[in-house]
Amino acid sequence: MKKLTLILALITSAALVNAVAQETDNDALKKRLEPVGQVYLTGAEAAVDTGPKGPRTGEQVFQGACFACHGTGALGAPKKGEAADWKPRLAQGADVLLKHAIEGIRSMPARGTCGDCSEDELAAAIKFMTDGI
């Protein structure tokens, strides 16, 4: 009977130690998953930027959406200010250029990478890229 009591005591002790260790592990896990800090915004800092407050200029559209291809010539895109790249396209007329900008052409997707650009903003970007040609 003493052996049975001793065995039960050891099993109970081991179960308690395991339960305490698991609780400690859970506490450690919770601590590791806690946020590092918190940010509180008040007043003007809390205002959410909802995007442009008016029409963007051609330069703004170019810098924000067109530069990756039209600034580098990637994927055969005509580079800003390069007469040899733009003259054949300009010969087609401004309406055709705008149509291609809106619908996309070859490697250029519709509206380039400016899905929220208006037609006027796209036209301004084309004008910015072709100024002086």
Side-chain angles (χ1 to χ4, degrees):
M1 187 73 158
K2 270 186 164 181
K3 283 185 180 181
L4 183 58
T5 305
L6 182 61
I7 291 173
L8 286 175
L10 287 172
I11 291 173
T12 305
S13 296
L16 286 173
V17 167
N18 189 28
V20 169
Q22 184 175 0
E23 186 175 312
T24 303
D25 287 346
N26 286 341
D27 289 343
L29 180 61
K30 285 179 189 175
K31 183 146 181 80
R32 283 196 312 264
L33 294 176
E34 284 179 356
V36 175
Q38 296 178 351
V39 176
Y40 296 95
L41 300 177
T42 59
E45 299 89 20
V48 176
D49 182 14
T50 58
K53 304 296 183 239
R56 291 167 277 204
T57 66
E59 182 176 8
Q60 289 171 323
V61 173
F62 174 77
Q63 293 298 337
C66 308
F67 180 80
C69 295
H70 290 285
T72 63
L75 301 172
K79 289 174 65 174
K80 178 195 175 332
E82 290 288 327
D85 292 349
W86 284 104
K87 280 190 178 182
R89 291 165 174 90
L90 288 170
Q92 296 174 3
D95 290 340
V96 172
L97 280 176
L98 182 58
K99 180 179 186 266
H100 290 164
I102 293 167
E103 296 174 1
I105 185 168
R106 292 183 275 289
S107 298
M108 185 174 129
R111 297 191 180 272
T113 59
C114 190
D116 65 344
C117 278
S118 69
E119 289 184 18
D120 290 339
E121 290 171 326
L122 292 172
I126 293 168
K127 183 172 178 358
F128 177 77
M129 286 187 279
T130 59
D131 261 354
I133 298 174

